[in-house]
Amino acid sequence: MRSSAYVMRDYRDAELKHGRFAMLAAVAWPLQERLNPVLAATFHIPTLVAETGGLSPSVLNGGLEQGPIPSAVATFFILASLIEAQGLRVKKADGDAWLPGDYGKFFDAQIAERGSQQFFSLQEGEIWNGRIAMIAILAYVVQEAATGYPTINTIPFF
C-alpha cells in the first residue's frame, strides 16, 4: 500500500503534465486559426481551418480527418509517450528524491536551485498557470461549439 504522500505526488505530476500541454494548446489554438490561412496561401497548401469555417479542427468542430492532422496527432502522442517514459526512468532512478515534473537533465532549465524556496515558488506558479490554461482551452472549445465563431476573432489584440 502506497502512502497518501506518494499518491498526492503522482497527482501533482499528472497535473503538471496536463498543465504544460494546456499551456502549449492555449497559445497554439488561436495562433493556428490566425496563421494557418496565411501560411497555406504562402506555401500553396490546403487551409486546414477552411473546412470548419475558420474554427480550429477539433472533435466538436470537425476537420480532424483532413490532410496531415491524423499523422500529426499520432506523432504528438508518440512524443508525449517518450516524454512520459523518460519521466518514469527519472522517477525510478531518483527514488524518494524525485520531484513532480522532473524529466531529467535534458528537460531541466535550471531556473532556480532544486529544493530552494524560489524553486517551490516557481513550481507553484507553473501549477496555477497550467490550471488557467486548462480553463482557457475549455473556454475555447465551449465558445466555438456554442457560437460557431472562431476564438481568434474574440481576442482584441489579434
Side-chain angles (χ1 to χ4, degrees):
M1 178 95 184
R2 295 179 50 211
S3 73
S4 59
Y6 286 127
V7 172
M8 187 56 97
R9 188 175 71 167
D10 289 343
Y11 286 158
R12 186 174 185 100
D13 185 52
E15 186 177 15
L16 272 169
K17 279 185 257 189
H18 287 92
R20 287 172 180 172
F21 284 132
M23 286 186 273
L24 289 171
V27 172
W29 188 290
L31 282 179
Q32 172 181 285
E33 290 178 351
R34 173 62 71 204
L35 296 178
N36 184 263
V38 173
L39 293 174
T42 302
F43 296 110
H44 307 291
I45 56 175
T47 304
L48 298 177
V49 296
E51 180 182 313
T52 59
L55 305 174
S56 280
S58 70
V59 173
L60 296 177
N61 295 338
L64 290 178
E65 74 288 343
Q66 45 178 336
I69 293 177
S71 60
V73 169
T75 302
F76 174 79
F77 280 113
I78 290 169
L79 290 173
S81 298
L82 292 172
I83 292 170
E84 178 69 19
Q86 172 64 17
L88 291 173
R89 280 191 290 275
V90 169
K91 183 178 178 180
K92 184 177 181 181
D94 289 357
D96 288 340
W98 176 79
L99 293 172
D102 185 6
Y103 296 103
K105 301 272 188 250
F106 180 74
F107 297 100
D108 194 3
Q110 290 292 335
I111 295 172
E113 184 179 333
R114 185 178 168 146
S116 69
Q117 184 63 32
Q118 181 186 16
F119 177 84
F120 289 112
S121 176
L122 290 170
Q123 196 176 43
E124 191 68 26
E126 184 181 18
I127 288 280
W128 280 105
N129 286 324
R131 290 173 181 168
I132 292 167
M134 287 185 253
I135 292 169
I137 290 297
L138 178 63
Y140 294 167
V141 170
V142 170
Q143 181 263 321
E144 286 192 355
T147 67
Y149 197 65
T151 297
I152 194 67
N153 294 339
T154 63
I155 300 173
F157 55 87
F158 275 112

